[in-house]
């Protein structure tokens, strides 16, 4: 039993974390590998035991791997999902001790000091870990020692348990790579004939420090327990979800909205405490027949004001089929964005941006937020490239609309008209209408952007004219001197 003095650390290493995560849900009885693109080459990121038995290894190019094993099944790796899966394993590992941290991208470290006796001893605790994770389809290697570095070394290069107080003896015959050193340092030590940790312990420290730097001795001291190494548990990410259960089923829209209001207040307070705002909210209504319906609200801007958010739920709640009644509702912010507190000045117009965001949200719930769009200026002297169209909910208005020359209110693809010579024609027909030129201003020469491929500008440079017709229309015409021809491209107000 723990006597209050010795520290015990467990290292859990998942050598095939990424491939095990995929294969536990979609088993494949064949050589399997996950690939990751590096320097324009698909390379093996993780592989199963069958593929490794055929001679494949990590960092091997996918083309070489298929040459060795034509039956290889490959899929792209997803490091983000692997990280979330490791985080979930960390939460599961808290059943053994409350102090669980991450060890690299494929391992966990547990401070089990004083908790092993709850599982019948250290060996029984490790056996329980192996059995549970084997049933989950995960390959696991374990190391238990007095220090974090020693536990890592036993998990990666040794096996089992280092008895309390015997860390130096357990590590003596392990290679120097077991000290978590860089590959260059390990190669340099091996060239000097220092292959094991015992060789390092018997070598004078000063020459090692001068040649390899302080990192080598720091790792050695951490593994032997001469220098403390902390275990930092990762805090759980904030969860923005609340649930409310009713003693009697409800079905009226007013009752559902009142219940939603009760959940919105504490949810917005939690969002404010974390300095974020909700961009997507999901209201789940569970009926008494165990069926459920979701009402998703996508907001045009990050919000955490319950009074503004609540009315936006009315349309979705009104369309819900309550059936025989709703006995539980759950409100969750599934997408959040940073929303720091802003100081409102005396001269600042209050409420205008908020009202616009609310209007975009209301329209977006009917036709989709992506369909509510705004124009943004673009850095191009080509008329049809001088603006961008972006969803209003995911962009901010910009005030850089400035042009040295007037531009038409309406812009459309060039439409050919009859004309000859570099001067605007006195009479011409456009869209089955006859026009007479009253006044023409120009030309304004615009050259094509040669670094971009554009089929419409193959005719070369253009000379633009502002033409006022006797019929009252103000048109934007251009002439192409390199490929003579006249075109109409826009109309002024």
């Amino acid at each position: 039993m723990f006597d209050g003095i010795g520290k015990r650390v467990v290292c859990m290493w998942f050598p095939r974390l990424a491939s095990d995560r995929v294969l536990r849900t979609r088993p494949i009885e064949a050589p399997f590998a996950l690939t990751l693109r590096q320097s324009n080459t698909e390379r093996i990121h993780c592989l199963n035991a069958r593929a490794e038995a055929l001679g494949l290894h990590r960092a091997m190019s996918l083309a070489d791997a298929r040459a060795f094993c034509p039956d290889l099944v490959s899929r792209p790796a997803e490091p983000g999902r692997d990280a979330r899966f490791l985080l979930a394993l960390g939460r599961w590992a808290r059943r053994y001790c409350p102090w669980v941290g991450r060890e690299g991208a494929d391992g966990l470290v547990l401070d089990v000091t004083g908790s092993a006796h709850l599982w019948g001893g250290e060996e029984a605790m490790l056996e329980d870990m192996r059995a549970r994770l084997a049933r989950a389809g995960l390959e696991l290697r374990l190391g238990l020692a007095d220090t974090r570095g020693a536990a890592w070394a036993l998990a990666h290069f040794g096996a089992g348990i280092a008895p309390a107080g015997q860390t130096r003896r357990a590590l003596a015959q392990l290679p120097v790579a077991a000290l978590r050193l860089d590959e260059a340092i390990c190669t340099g030590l091996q060239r000097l004939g220092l292959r094991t940790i015992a060789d390092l312990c018997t070598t004078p420290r000063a020459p090692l420090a001068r040649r390899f730097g302080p990192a080598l001795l720091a790792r050695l001291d951490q593994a032997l327990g001469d220098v403390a190494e902390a275990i930092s548990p990762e805090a759980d990410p904030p969860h923005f979800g609340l649930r409310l259960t009713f003693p009697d089923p409800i079905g009226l829209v007013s009752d559902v909205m009142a219940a939603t209001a009760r959940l919105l207040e504490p949810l917005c307070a939690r969002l404010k405490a974390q300095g974020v705002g909700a961009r997507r909210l999901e209201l789940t209504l569970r009926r008494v027949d165990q069926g459920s319906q979701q009402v998703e609200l996508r907001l045009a801007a990050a919000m955490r004001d319950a009074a503004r958010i609540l009315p936006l739920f009315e349309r979705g709640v009104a369309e819900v089929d309550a059936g025989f009644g709703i006995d539980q509702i759950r409100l969750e912010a599934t997408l959040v964005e940073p929303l720091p507190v802003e100081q409102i000045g005396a001269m600042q117009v209050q409420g205008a941006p908020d009202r616009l965001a609310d209007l975009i949200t209301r329209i977006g719930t009917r036709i989709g937020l992506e369909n509510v769009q705004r124009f943004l200026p673009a850095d191009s002297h080509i008329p049809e490239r001088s603006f961008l169209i972006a969803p209003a909910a995911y962009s901010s208005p910009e005030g850089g609309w400035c042009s040295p020359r007037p531009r038409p209110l309406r812009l459309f693809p060039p439409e050919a008209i009859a004309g000859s010579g570099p001067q605007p024609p006195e009479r011409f027909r456009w869209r089955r209408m006859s026009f007479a030129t009253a006044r023409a201003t120009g030309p304004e020469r615009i050259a094509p952007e040669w670094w971009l491929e554009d089929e419409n500008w193959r005719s070369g440079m253009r000379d633009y004219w502002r033409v006022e017709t006797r019929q009252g229309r103000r048109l934007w015409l251009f002439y192409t001197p390199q490929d003579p021809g006249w075109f109409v491209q826009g109309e002024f107000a």
Side-chain angles (χ1 to χ4, degrees):
M1 181 162 304
F2 173 57
D3 58 3
I5 300 175
K7 186 175 183 180
R8 301 295 280 169
V9 179
V10 172
C11 178
M12 304 175 68
W13 178 40
F14 305 93
R16 297 186 177 90
L17 177 70
S19 60
D20 287 346
R21 178 189 64 81
V22 176
L23 294 177
R24 66 192 295 267
T25 56
R26 292 173 288 180
I28 295 177
E29 296 297 332
F32 176 79
L34 294 174
T35 63
L36 203 60
R37 192 167 189 84
Q38 299 176 355
S39 301
N40 258 356
T41 304
E42 290 289 339
R43 298 191 177 275
I44 293 181
H45 173 68
C46 190
L47 66 168
N48 65 353
R50 179 170 295 189
E52 191 171 344
L54 295 175
L56 308 185
H57 57 84
R58 293 194 180 195
M60 187 180 190
S61 68
L62 182 60
D64 294 341
R66 291 197 181 279
F68 280 98
C69 180
D71 298 332
L72 179 66
V73 179
S74 64
R75 290 175 184 164
E78 298 175 296
R81 290 192 174 185
D82 297 336
R84 292 193 294 270
F85 184 62
L86 184 62
L87 183 63
L89 289 174
R91 290 195 296 267
W92 168 83
R94 291 178 187 170
R95 63 185 294 114
Y96 300 102
C97 67
W99 212 254
V100 180
R102 182 180 298 188
E103 188 67 84
D106 54 3
L108 298 171
V109 57
L110 294 74
D111 187 349
V112 296
T113 308
S115 61
H117 71 280
L118 300 174
W119 301 90
E122 294 178 344
E123 294 184 1
M125 180 180 64
L126 297 186
E127 186 59 33
D128 184 76
M129 293 178 182
R130 292 192 188 95
R132 290 179 182 274
L133 291 172
R135 288 196 298 268
L138 299 177
E139 183 177 344
L140 175 67
R141 296 184 187 177
L142 292 168
L144 174 60
D146 294 339
T147 65
R148 178 176 182 175
W152 188 94
L154 291 174
H156 288 73
F157 294 90
I161 304 174
Q166 300 184 23
T167 300
R168 188 180 296 268
R169 179 182 301 177
L171 298 181
Q173 300 305 316
L174 296 183
V176 292
L179 294 177
R180 299 172 291 173
L181 300 173
D182 294 337
E183 185 177 354
I185 296 179
C186 294
T187 303
L189 291 172
Q190 291 175 0
R191 289 174 178 172
L192 295 176
L194 304 176
R195 301 182 181 278
T196 65
I197 296 178
D199 296 337
L200 281 180
C201 294
T202 57
T203 303
R205 297 170 63 94
L208 291 176
R210 285 196 300 268
R211 180 156 186 171
F212 298 101
L216 171 59
L217 298 180
R219 286 301 191 187
L220 179 61
D221 293 339
Q222 288 173 350
L224 299 179
D226 297 332
V227 174
E229 186 177 6
I231 298 175
S232 301
E234 292 195 10
D236 289 335
H239 178 66
F240 304 105
L242 296 169
R243 182 176 58 189
L244 183 61
T245 304
F246 309 110
D248 296 316
I250 63 175
L252 297 178
V253 173
S254 58
D255 293 339
V256 175
M257 292 298 295
T260 304
R262 289 185 59 183
L263 295 179
L264 263 178
E265 290 291 345
L267 178 62
C268 291
R270 189 176 300 180
L271 292 170
K272 185 176 182 180
Q274 296 293 332
V276 297
R279 282 300 299 265
R280 186 168 62 236
L281 293 162
E282 187 174 281
L283 180 66
T284 303
L285 308 174
R286 192 187 72 181
R287 303 186 306 193
V288 295
D289 59 358
Q290 301 304 311
S292 63
Q293 295 190 15
Q294 285 78 31
V295 178
E296 186 182 60
L297 180 62
R298 301 170 62 191
L299 302 173
M303 299 183 191
R304 56 174 180 238
D305 187 355
R308 291 175 53 201
I309 297 175
L310 182 61
L312 303 176
F313 271 110
E314 291 182 358
R315 176 180 171 82
V317 171
E319 297 176 353
V320 170
D321 180 13
F324 294 103
I326 298 169
D327 62 356
Q328 185 186 95
I329 67 170
R330 176 179 174 81
L331 181 62
E332 182 179 5
T334 57
L335 180 63
V336 297
E337 289 183 359
L339 185 62
V341 177
E342 296 181 357
Q343 183 175 358
I344 300 177
M347 302 301 295
Q348 185 174 349
V349 179
Q350 302 183 20
D354 297 341
R355 289 195 298 269
L356 177 59
D358 293 349
L359 176 62
I360 294 174
T361 300
R362 291 181 182 276
I363 298 175
T365 55
R366 297 173 179 265
I367 65 174
L369 283 178
E370 293 80 7
N371 297 322
V372 183
Q373 301 175 335
R374 63 159 51 100
F375 290 94
L376 299 176
D379 187 13
S380 177
H381 64 272
I382 302 297
E384 52 266 35
R385 293 184 189 153
S386 60
F387 63 91
L388 299 173
I389 300 178
Y394 306 108
S395 61
S396 301
E398 298 184 14
W401 290 101
C402 59
S403 177
R405 303 289 180 89
R407 290 293 180 258
L409 182 64
R410 294 178 55 210
L411 199 65
F412 41 79
E415 301 175 4
I417 60 173
S420 61
Q423 297 296 323
E426 296 183 359
R427 295 184 177 274
F428 60 92
R429 289 184 61 83
W430 174 61
R431 293 184 179 179
R432 299 183 181 180
M433 295 179 289
S434 298
F435 294 95
T437 301
R439 192 171 99 179
T441 305
E444 175 191 355
R445 175 159 290 184
I446 297 180
E449 295 175 337
W450 54 267
W451 56 92
L452 296 177
E453 186 69 23
D454 192 343
E455 189 71 23
N456 296 326
W457 282 79
R458 286 189 177 276
S459 57
M461 64 184 66
R462 300 175 179 179
D463 291 336
Y464 280 88
W465 294 79
R466 285 180 289 138
V467 174
E468 297 182 14
T469 65
R470 298 185 185 277
Q471 288 74 19
R473 307 287 287 270
R474 302 173 67 236
L475 304 177
W476 207 35
L477 280 64
F478 70 84
Y479 174 71
T480 53
Q482 295 173 303
D483 185 12
W486 279 94
F487 300 85
V488 180
Q489 192 179 2
E491 186 173 7
F492 294 88

